[in-house]
Amino acid sequence: NVSVAPNGDLYLAEGYGSSFVLHFDNEGHLLNRFGGWGDTEAHTRWAHGSFIADVDGEILLHVAVDDPSQIKRFTLDGVFHSLMPGPFLHPRNIYAKDDLWAIPEMGGRLTLIDQVTDEIHHLGHWGEKMEDIFKRRTGPRDSFPDGIFASAHGVGFLSNADIIVAEWVEVGRISKLTRM
């Protein structure tokens, strides 16, 4: 996944490769790499998605990591800053529309966080362990109930703030959540 900083620099999360986050300038020159495989707060084991946002007046890179299941915040020069309050079920990325952040989670749910009120809503959770959800991923299309996610993986916002959720399941699945 790639995030673009306000100055045009790029941050690439290597996910299933080395798990490093690569930092490039806007001309494609590698400036830094950080994270990688390990067990400290600064490591980004199985870094999957990234997102850049202002947190209390500071621009931070948010990196969704799979192990442990967290969103880690870094300064733009790659120094670990903090953990985003969770808990998360294998977060894949962060997407935003105005003050609403959406976090698809491979553990079978979508988390919505209102950045103004700090309200957190978990949608579509199957309520099962990751191992059980992985078994469900391979089921036939009619085995997935509406409004329940087996493996939320990507999100998009429509102009009216409806949400499109893409899942990582064998038959492929896209759901539309209508904002009320």
Side-chain angles (χ1 to χ4, degrees), residues 85-107:
F88 299 103
L89 301 174
H90 304 280
R92 286 299 173 249
N93 211 333
I94 302 171
Y95 302 86
K97 170 113 174 113
D98 303 321
D99 291 320
L100 183 63
W101 289 14
I103 302 165
E105 298 172 79
M106 205 157 112

Side-chain angles (χ1 to χ4, degrees), residues 25 63 77 98 112 116 139:
D25 68 16
V63 180
D77 58 357
D98 303 321
L112 300 177
V116 174

Side-chain angles (χ1 to χ4, degrees), residues 1-131:
N1 193 294
V2 176
S3 292
V4 181
N7 68 354
D9 283 5
L10 303 171
Y11 295 83
L12 171 69
E14 283 194 296
Y16 298 120
S18 68
S19 291
F20 279 101
V21 177
L22 305 178
H23 174 196
F24 298 91
D25 68 16
N26 60 10
E27 294 183 12
H29 302 105
L30 181 64
L31 301 175
N32 188 14
R33 79 177 194 157
F34 55 94
W37 200 262
D39 293 320
T40 71
E41 289 179 322
H43 286 99
T44 53
R45 185 171 27 193
W46 294 335
H48 207 81
S50 62
F51 177 73
I52 295 175
D54 183 302
V55 177
D56 298 326
E58 186 173 4
I59 303 295
L60 297 175
L61 175 70
H62 296 67
V63 180
V65 299
D66 208 18
D67 187 16
S69 209
Q70 298 173 327
I71 296 177
K72 297 183 176 192
R73 293 172 167 159
F74 294 85
T75 62
L76 294 185
D77 58 357
V79 175
F80 177 78
H81 181 277
S82 60
L83 294 175
M84 185 170 156
F88 299 103
L89 301 174
H90 304 280
R92 286 299 173 249
N93 211 333
I94 302 171
Y95 302 86
K97 170 113 174 113
D98 303 321
D99 291 320
L100 183 63
W101 289 14
I103 302 165
E105 298 172 79
M106 205 157 112
R109 74 177 182 199
L110 175 67
T111 293
L112 300 177
I113 303 173
D114 185 314
Q115 294 299 304
V116 174
T117 65
D118 289 328
E119 289 182 53
I120 298 173
H121 300 279
H122 301 293
L123 306 178
H125 190 227
W126 215 309
E128 296 183 359
K129 294 178 183 174
M130 192 70 171
E131 298 81 27

